[in-house]
Amino acid sequence: MSAIPKDWRERVVAILEAGRAGTRAITNTARMDWMALFPESFSFEVYSVVAKVLKADAVTDARKVETMDEPGEVYEFLFVHAQRRMYSKVNLCEGRVSVLVYSAHLQRLGNIEDGRFV
């Protein structure tokens, strides 16, 4: 089980899966990283992947982030997708009605062998 609270995971999953206009966003950097890594996919597929990982609690490591400018509750986490060790950072924005995906790319920090932060 990850260090991400269950209620946060469930709320993020619900928002990402509902796909209502204006409730989910991805930064340009995260979009470009995702498309570079998975050029045959669509950038919105990151929402499905993040939701699937959080729903299954398939996170290999996680930690809360307190340094983002946007208000909300932010977690960064590591997971495996398409046989690659991945990193994502997600904000459950203030009011808990929208989600912002800051990052979705290959794991570049921590212990890549075991999918953990160090």
Side-chain angles (χ1 to χ4, degrees), residues 22-85:
T23 63
R24 56 189 196 174
I26 184 171
T27 64
N28 285 332
T29 301
R31 183 184 328 277
M32 291 186 312
D33 286 344
W34 183 262
M35 295 308 296
L37 194 54
F38 302 105
E40 300 299 317
S41 71
F42 296 98
S43 59
F44 64 82
E45 290 178 38
V46 72
Y47 302 133
S48 298
V49 170
V50 169
K52 179 181 171 185
V53 166
L54 292 173
K55 192 176 204 174
D57 198 13
V59 170
T60 60
D61 202 6
R63 57 189 179 191
K64 191 168 188 176
V65 178
E66 304 281 357
T67 58
M68 304 309 294
D69 290 334
E70 297 82 6
E73 189 174 1
V74 180
Y75 284 89
E76 61 184 349
F77 51 94
L78 305 172
F79 60 97
V80 175
H81 173 67
Q83 295 146 357
R84 297 173 182 184
R85 294 212 178 266

Side-chain angles (χ1 to χ4, degrees), residues 83-103:
Q83 295 146 357
R84 297 173 182 184
R85 294 212 178 266
M86 303 286 296
Y87 166 90
S88 189
K89 184 174 4 179
V90 175
N91 185 354
L92 176 56
C93 300
E94 190 171 55
R96 298 175 64 90
V97 296
S98 63
V99 170
L100 172 59
V101 177
Y102 292 110
S103 303

